[in-house]
Amino acid sequence: MNPTYQPDEVEARWYKVWEESGSFRPEVNPDGEPFSIVIPPPNVTGVLHMGHALDHAIQDVVIRRKRMQGFAALWLPGTDHAGIATQNVVERELRKEGLTRHDVGREAFIEQVWAWKAKSGDTIANQMRKLGDSTDWSRERFTFDEGLSAAVRKVFVDLYDEGLMYRANRIINWCPRCHTALSEIEVEHEDDPGELTYIRYPFTDGSGFITVATTRPETMLGDTGIAVHPDDERYKDAIGKTVMLPLMDREIPVVGDEGVESDFGTGAVKVTPAHDPLDFEIGKRHGLKSIIVIDTEAKITADGGEFFGMDRFEAREAVRSRLREIDAIEKIEEHQHSVGHCSRCHTVVEPLLSLQWFVKVDALVGPAIDAVRNDESRFIPKRWEKNYFHWMENLQDWCVSRQLWWGHRIPAWYCDDCGETIVSIDDAVSCTACGSSKLTRDDDVLDTWFSSALWPFSTLGWPDQTDDFEKFYPTATLVTGFDIIFFWVARMMKMAVHFTDQAPFSDIVIHGMVRDMSGKKMSKSSGNALDPLELIAEYGADSVRLALIQAAAPGHDIPLDTEWIDASRRFGNKLWNAMRFAVEFMRVSKVPQDGGYPEDPGPEDAWILSRLHEVSGEIDTLLDEYRLSDAYGLLYNFAWSEVFDWYLEMAKSLANDEDRADSMRQTLGVVLRDVLKLFHPAIPFVTEELWSNLGDGSLLITAPWPDVSTRPCPPEIAPLQELVSAIRRFRSQHHIPHKSDVHVTVVSESPLPDWWMRQVASLSNSIPAAGERPTSVAGHTRLSAGAGVEGFIELEGLVDVDAERPRIEKAIAEVETNLAKSVAKLANPSFADRAPEEVVSAERARVEQMNVELDKQRTLLAELG
RNA sequence: GGGCGUUUAGCUCAGUUGGCUAGAGCGCCGCCCUUACAAGGCGGAAGUCGAGGGUUCGAGUCCCCCAACGCCCA
């Protein structure tokens, strides 16, 4: 074995072995209970970022452990066709050649996207392999593959037949850059600086004018009314009158509407039903016309008079200056206002009256809320449930049609002759109403999230009742970031409960976001992003995984720095060397997958085995609760400080003892084996590599999870460790050279065995001897080891007696402080009355112990001379 | 405006039913190349747990209030 661990050499090799051995398939545990996770599908054109690395590390820990526990564990991988994102990428490619998608045409364009997918779609999969994701590649799915497309069609048609899918003219959010409608959730609202323009609209009866304030003056071209609050005293007389719309010379009415906020602007607002959702409602209530004055290119339409053809922002200025010319502007104020931006390309979205398809959500939310309320699905951490409920209870109908080409085309046909709408699973060939064969298919495709919403069941074969669907649905655990609870989790819940009558997963594990050290979100544009693949190349995948897992407290964001990863790498190296030492120097050979405990373990062996089992049990509980960072923090510390720093050091002296060497070897084998097993889900590569030195030729990935029952612990180890530490501290504080002998007289209430003395000698590099308490402690220092064990060291010839005095004084001061606290506590009569018996008696015992200790130290100080 | 989160060592963070002397990694100081690992070992210093109030025998932990920062929704 190399003296240092070389991850790059090891990782690719083991991944191949795992994959080729079929270890990622649930079939490796044919009799196991099913346990499944579907991956949150990354965008097919995407590249892996730290968020994925975190998300995948967590899922891999969960699935690898379940696999080792004997479950038929399935982690289903796949990708999302990511409508807008992917289409944008390919359009960008086209633009380099000076082309648009319209130049190449719909079919050719889609072919080009597929070609792109074929070329770059493997990127993500290969990056996942680098991370070590134990996904079952034989079950890999794509939201746009045949099976999933069939599921999408069925859901669309069923929803339509149930009256839950409808087409309507509504104000939707339109992205003029992506050229498509967006759902509410795809719009990011930001407070942008702007101006509030106050425009005077003259009454037609000549009785002056009414002033309205607007942040979007260009929309006045489409005004068809003025609205005031009916209770607003200022405008009581205005309601019912008409005004003349400046520039357009259109007579429009003033209406009273409860929806108007009286304290905004002048309290009177212009009504543009075609370009504002609230205005649309007002318009509907008062029978006002909708005039579309801004088109899908965000340019002024022919209905915009002299401004026809102008861009919306150009028109804003032009309208304002024309209004100024006719003296229709009262004033212009600076004004911060919320502006919607496309979450894809950040272009300012335009509210637009448009004919789109919508999912009626009322009927879907109730059962989806109930599934969480009755714990069929539970969020971890639980507090996310509140966000989920709040979101679900305030949902608007979901606009699902997108004016894109890349996506699931809407299965609706319109009859050219009678106008009938035909929605069907199979392509329609004739009109169901008039029989005409002149049909036109809807041009639009579905929101990407529509197919994602079906992911947990569509990937398993639904709507067919496949074996996989029967076996693995509903899935066990979903692991995802809080940022897509609304986009994805909520929609999966709605669709799954509606179509399968079951919640799609029982545990929804929400993790935070990976951030940089200043707490900023990592992004390519701000240049603070760490690239997981670069980090893997530098530190190894295990190090990246372990750092993320240890840092990821449930539901909290993770500030990540390469220092964390470096610490993990050092751990990997430590583990490597511990194993190398065990195998090469301690001659630990093959151990069986199970059992293998020494028949007659020595006390050191019994101790580390009992600790191993105790820690294994705690880790198991923590992992069941998805507290991965706690579990692996615990294991990290156990392995390093107890196994490596203590037991391995003990083992060095045991190796020279014929009677003890075999038991030690067996113990060391068992301990390292179980440490590898426990660590494997987090750091699969290095553990698998090390296992090959220890194991019986089997693979660690499918080895049985450790035994977590408890074992008794011999009581002598604690005082042994304490005495050793005390001697080391003494040496260190007095700068006693390593080579100098330190004689320690060990005094114990009960006799201490030889092995104990030998360990003290070897671990503290001292010469201990059992003896009587010195008749006079003068010229000695006293080391307390608890459990009735003390050590005395003669100072003569070793250290200056005076140098010892501050040491003792400090020890006394420390005990005095703690003693005072405890005494005060006990002196409080209600403490004894109200605190539980064991707490009180423990406190009494402490006081007693501290008194004894204090007494001894004081005597020592007095006699020091 | 509503909701959520964060505030603990120099830095970044753990600390889940309230209960021994509040932990880790990194950094810092001292000693050590002791038969794996100097990417290491041993030892050490370092915290009024954001401020204030309350409940309790007992509060980093529960309640109230305030402040700063961050996120989500409107």
Short mmCIF file of all heavy atoms in Angstrom, two decimals, chain B residues 23-35:
data_model
loop_
_atom_site.label_atom_id
_atom_site.label_comp_id
_atom_site.label_asym_id
_atom_site.label_seq_id
_atom_site.Cartn_x
_atom_site.Cartn_y
_atom_site.Cartn_z
P G B 23 -17.38 20.81 26.52
OP1 G B 23 -17.58 19.91 27.64
OP2 G B 23 -16.45 21.94 26.65
"O5'" G B 23 -16.96 19.94 25.27
"C5'" G B 23 -16.31 20.53 24.19
"C4'" G B 23 -16.89 19.97 22.92
"O4'" G B 23 -18.16 20.61 22.65
"C3'" G B 23 -16.04 20.24 21.70
"O3'" G B 23 -15.02 19.27 21.57
"C2'" G B 23 -17.07 20.17 20.59
"O2'" G B 23 -17.42 18.85 20.29
"C1'" G B 23 -18.27 20.86 21.26
N9 G B 23 -18.27 22.31 21.05
C8 G B 23 -18.02 23.29 21.97
N7 G B 23 -18.11 24.50 21.48
C5 G B 23 -18.43 24.30 20.15
C6 G B 23 -18.66 25.23 19.10
O6 G B 23 -18.62 26.47 19.16
N1 G B 23 -18.94 24.60 17.90
C2 G B 23 -19.02 23.25 17.72
N2 G B 23 -19.31 22.84 16.51
N3 G B 23 -18.81 22.36 18.69
C4 G B 23 -18.53 22.96 19.86
P A B 24 -13.68 19.69 20.86
OP1 A B 24 -12.70 18.63 21.18
OP2 A B 24 -13.37 21.10 21.17
"O5'" A B 24 -14.07 19.58 19.32
"C5'" A B 24 -14.56 18.34 18.81
"C4'" A B 24 -14.92 18.52 17.35
"O4'" A B 24 -16.04 19.40 17.23
"C3'" A B 24 -13.84 19.16 16.49
"O3'" A B 24 -12.89 18.21 16.09
"C2'" A B 24 -14.66 19.70 15.33
"O2'" A B 24 -15.01 18.67 14.44
"C1'" A B 24 -15.92 20.19 16.05
N9 A B 24 -15.86 21.61 16.45
C8 A B 24 -15.61 22.11 17.69
N7 A B 24 -15.65 23.42 17.75
C5 A B 24 -15.95 23.80 16.46
C6 A B 24 -16.13 25.08 15.87
N6 A B 24 -16.04 26.23 16.53
N1 A B 24 -16.42 25.10 14.55
C2 A B 24 -16.52 23.95 13.88
N3 A B 24 -16.37 22.71 14.33
C4 A B 24 -16.08 22.71 15.64
P G B 25 -11.43 18.66 15.80
OP1 G B 25 -10.65 17.41 15.64
OP2 G B 25 -11.01 19.68 16.78
"O5'" G B 25 -11.56 19.36 14.38
"C5'" G B 25 -11.88 18.60 13.22
"C4'" G B 25 -12.05 19.54 12.06
"O4'" G B 25 -13.20 20.39 12.31
"C3'" G B 25 -10.91 20.52 11.86
"O3'" G B 25 -9.86 19.95 11.11
"C2'" G B 25 -11.60 21.65 11.10
"O2'" G B 25 -11.80 21.33 9.75
"C1'" G B 25 -12.96 21.70 11.81
N9 G B 25 -12.95 22.63 12.94
C8 G B 25 -12.78 22.33 14.27
N7 G B 25 -12.83 23.39 15.05
C5 G B 25 -13.05 24.44 14.17
C6 G B 25 -13.19 25.82 14.43
O6 G B 25 -13.15 26.41 15.51
N1 G B 25 -13.39 26.54 13.26
C2 G B 25 -13.45 26.00 12.00
N2 G B 25 -13.64 26.85 11.00
N3 G B 25 -13.32 24.70 11.75
C4 G B 25 -13.12 23.99 12.87
P C B 26 -8.40 20.29 11.46
OP1 C B 26 -7.57 19.45 10.60
OP2 C B 26 -8.24 20.25 12.94
"O5'" C B 26 -8.28 21.81 11.00
"C5'" C B 26 -8.35 22.14 9.61
"C4'" C B 26 -8.51 23.62 9.43
"O4'" C B 26 -9.73 24.06 10.08
"C3'" C B 26 -7.45 24.49 10.08
"O3'" C B 26 -6.26 24.55 9.31
"C2'" C B 26 -8.16 25.83 10.13
"O2'" C B 26 -8.20 26.45 8.86
"C1'" C B 26 -9.57 25.39 10.53
N1 C B 26 -9.73 25.45 12.00
C2 C B 26 -10.00 26.71 12.59
O2 C B 26 -10.11 27.69 11.85
N3 C B 26 -10.12 26.80 13.92
C4 C B 26 -10.00 25.70 14.68
N4 C B 26 -10.13 25.85 16.00
C5 C B 26 -9.72 24.42 14.13
C6 C B 26 -9.60 24.34 12.78
P G B 27 -4.87 24.68 10.08
OP1 G B 27 -3.83 24.72 9.04
OP2 G B 27 -4.80 23.66 11.15
"O5'" G B 27 -4.99 26.11 10.77
"C5'" G B 27 -5.00 27.28 9.97
"C4'" G B 27 -5.21 28.49 10.84
"O4'" G B 27 -6.49 28.37 11.53
"C3'" G B 27 -4.21 28.67 11.97
"O3'" G B 27 -3.01 29.26 11.51
"C2'" G B 27 -4.98 29.58 12.91
"O2'" G B 27 -5.00 30.91 12.45
"C1'" G B 27 -6.39 28.98 12.80
N9 G B 27 -6.61 27.96 13.83
C8 G B 27 -6.63 26.61 13.69
N7 G B 27 -6.83 25.97 14.81
C5 G B 27 -6.95 26.97 15.76
C6 G B 27 -7.17 26.90 17.15
O6 G B 27 -7.32 25.89 17.86
N1 G B 27 -7.21 28.16 17.74
C2 G B 27 -7.06 29.33 17.06
N2 G B 27 -7.13 30.44 17.81
N3 G B 27 -6.86 29.42 15.76
C4 G B 27 -6.81 28.21 15.18
P C B 28 -1.66 28.85 12.20
OP1 C B 28 -0.59 29.61 11.50
OP2 C B 28 -1.59 27.38 12.32
"O5'" C B 28 -1.81 29.43 13.68
"C5'" C B 28 -1.96 30.83 13.91
"C4'" C B 28 -2.08 31.11 15.38
"O4'" C B 28 -3.33 30.53 15.88
"C3'" C B 28 -1.02 30.46 16.25
"O3'" C B 28 0.19 31.20 16.23
"C2'" C B 28 -1.69 30.44 17.61
"O2'" C B 28 -1.67 31.72 18.22
"C1'" C B 28 -3.14 30.11 17.22
N1 C B 28 -3.43 28.66 17.31
C2 C B 28 -3.66 28.10 18.57
O2 C B 28 -3.61 28.82 19.58
N3 C B 28 -3.93 26.77 18.66
C4 C B 28 -3.96 26.02 17.56
N4 C B 28 -4.23 24.72 17.70
C5 C B 28 -3.73 26.57 16.26
C6 C B 28 -3.46 27.89 16.18
P C B 29 1.56 30.42 16.24
OP1 C B 29 2.59 31.40 15.89
OP2 C B 29 1.43 29.15 15.46
"O5'" C B 29 1.71 30.03 17.78
"C5'" C B 29 1.81 31.05 18.76
"C4'" C B 29 1.89 30.41 20.13
"O4'" C B 29 0.62 29.80 20.46
"C3'" C B 29 2.88 29.26 20.24
"O3'" C B 29 4.21 29.71 20.39
"C2'" C B 29 2.35 28.53 21.48
"O2'" C B 29 2.68 29.23 22.66
"C1'" C B 29 0.85 28.64 21.25
N1 C B 29 0.30 27.46 20.53
C2 C B 29 0.06 26.30 21.28
O2 C B 29 0.30 26.30 22.49
N3 C B 29 -0.44 25.21 20.65
C4 C B 29 -0.69 25.25 19.34
N4 C B 29 -1.18 24.15 18.76
C5 C B 29 -0.43 26.41 18.55
C6 C B 29 0.06 27.48 19.19
P G B 30 5.37 28.83 19.81
OP1 G B 30 6.60 29.66 19.90
OP2 G B 30 4.97 28.24 18.51
"O5'" G B 30 5.48 27.64 20.86
"C5'" G B 30 5.89 27.92 22.20
"C4'" G B 30 5.82 26.67 23.03
"O4'" G B 30 4.45 26.22 23.12
"C3'" G B 30 6.54 25.45 22.45
"O3'" G B 30 7.93 25.52 22.67
"C2'" G B 30 5.87 24.32 23.23
"O2'" G B 30 6.34 24.28 24.56
"C1'" G B 30 4.42 24.80 23.23
N9 G B 30 3.66 24.25 22.10
C8 G B 30 3.30 24.86 20.94
N7 G B 30 2.63 24.09 20.13
C5 G B 30 2.55 22.87 20.81
C6 G B 30 1.94 21.65 20.44
O6 G B 30 1.32 21.37 19.41
N1 G B 30 2.10 20.67 21.43
C2 G B 30 2.76 20.86 22.61
N2 G B 30 2.81 19.80 23.42
N3 G B 30 3.33 22.00 22.97
C4 G B 30 3.18 22.96 22.02
P C B 31 8.90 24.84 21.62
OP1 C B 31 10.26 25.26 21.99
OP2 C B 31 8.40 25.07 20.26
"O5'" C B 31 8.73 23.29 21.96
"C5'" C B 31 9.17 22.78 23.21
"C4'" C B 31 8.71 21.35 23.37
"O4'" C B 31 7.25 21.30 23.29
"C3'" C B 31 9.14 20.39 22.27
"O3'" C B 31 10.48 19.97 22.41
"C2'" C B 31 8.15 19.27 22.47
"O2'" C B 31 8.45 18.50 23.61
"C1'" C B 31 6.86 20.06 22.73
N1 C B 31 6.12 20.31 21.47
C2 C B 31 5.35 19.26 20.94
O2 C B 31 5.33 18.17 21.56
N3 C B 31 4.67 19.44 19.79
C4 C B 31 4.74 20.62 19.16
N4 C B 31 4.05 20.75 18.03
C5 C B 31 5.51 21.71 19.67
C6 C B 31 6.18 21.51 20.82
P C B 32 11.28 19.64 21.09
OP1 C B 32 12.65 19.33 21.52
OP2 C B 32 11.04 20.69 20.08
"O5'" C B 32 10.58 18.31 20.57
"C5'" C B 32 10.71 17.11 21.33
"C4'" C B 32 9.86 16.03 20.73
"O4'" C B 32 8.48 16.47 20.61
"C3'" C B 32 10.19 15.60 19.31
"O3'" C B 32 11.31 14.76 19.27
"C2'" C B 32 8.92 14.86 18.93
"O2'" C B 32 8.84 13.59 19.53
"C1'" C B 32 7.84 15.76 19.55
N1 C B 32 7.29 16.71 18.57
C2 C B 32 6.35 16.24 17.66
O2 C B 32 6.02 15.04 17.71
N3 C B 32 5.83 17.07 16.74
C4 C B 32 6.21 18.35 16.72
N4 C B 32 5.68 19.14 15.79
C5 C B 32 7.18 18.87 17.63
C6 C B 32 7.69 18.03 18.54
P C B 33 12.29 14.91 18.09
OP1 C B 33 13.56 14.25 18.45
OP2 C B 33 12.31 16.32 17.67
"O5'" C B 33 11.62 13.99 16.97
"C5'" C B 33 10.96 14.52 15.84
"C4'" C B 33 10.37 13.40 15.04
"O4'" C B 33 10.01 13.85 13.72
"C3'" C B 33 11.34 12.24 14.79
"O3'" C B 33 11.32 11.32 15.88
"C2'" C B 33 10.83 11.67 13.47
"O2'" C B 33 9.70 10.85 13.57
"C1'" C B 33 10.44 12.95 12.72
N1 C B 33 11.56 13.58 12.00
C2 C B 33 12.33 12.80 11.12
O2 C B 33 12.05 11.62 10.95
N3 C B 33 13.36 13.40 10.48
C4 C B 33 13.62 14.67 10.69
N4 C B 33 14.64 15.20 10.03
C5 C B 33 12.87 15.48 11.57
C6 C B 33 11.86 14.90 12.20
P U B 34 10.86 9.81 15.81
OP1 U B 34 12.03 8.91 15.59
OP2 U B 34 9.77 9.79 14.86
"O5'" U B 34 10.28 9.57 17.25
"C5'" U B 34 10.95 8.66 18.14
"C4'" U B 34 9.95 7.73 18.74
"O4'" U B 34 9.08 8.56 19.51
"C3'" U B 34 9.02 7.02 17.74
"O3'" U B 34 9.59 5.77 17.40
"C2'" U B 34 7.72 6.87 18.52
"O2'" U B 34 7.66 5.60 19.16
"C1'" U B 34 7.81 7.95 19.58
N1 U B 34 6.82 9.04 19.53
C2 U B 34 5.96 9.22 18.46
O2 U B 34 5.96 8.51 17.50
N3 U B 34 5.11 10.29 18.56
C4 U B 34 5.01 11.17 19.59
O4 U B 34 4.19 12.08 19.54
C5 U B 34 5.91 10.93 20.67
C6 U B 34 6.75 9.90 20.61
P U B 35 9.98 5.42 16.00
OP1 U B 35 11.10 4.45 16.12
OP2 U B 35 10.23 6.69 15.31
"O5'" U B 35 8.72 4.71 15.31
"C5'" U B 35 8.80 4.35 13.92
"C4'" U B 35 8.42 2.92 13.72
"O4'" U B 35 9.10 2.10 14.70
"C3'" U B 35 6.95 2.61 13.97
"O3'" U B 35 6.17 2.88 12.83
"C2'" U B 35 6.98 1.12 14.26
"O2'" U B 35 7.06 0.36 13.06
"C1'" U B 35 8.28 0.99 15.03
N1 U B 35 8.04 1.00 16.47
C2 U B 35 8.18 -0.20 17.14
O2 U B 35 8.49 -1.24 16.58
N3 U B 35 7.92 -0.15 18.49
C4 U B 35 7.57 0.96 19.21
O4 U B 35 7.38 0.86 20.42
C5 U B 35 7.45 2.16 18.46
C6 U B 35 7.68 2.14 17.14
#
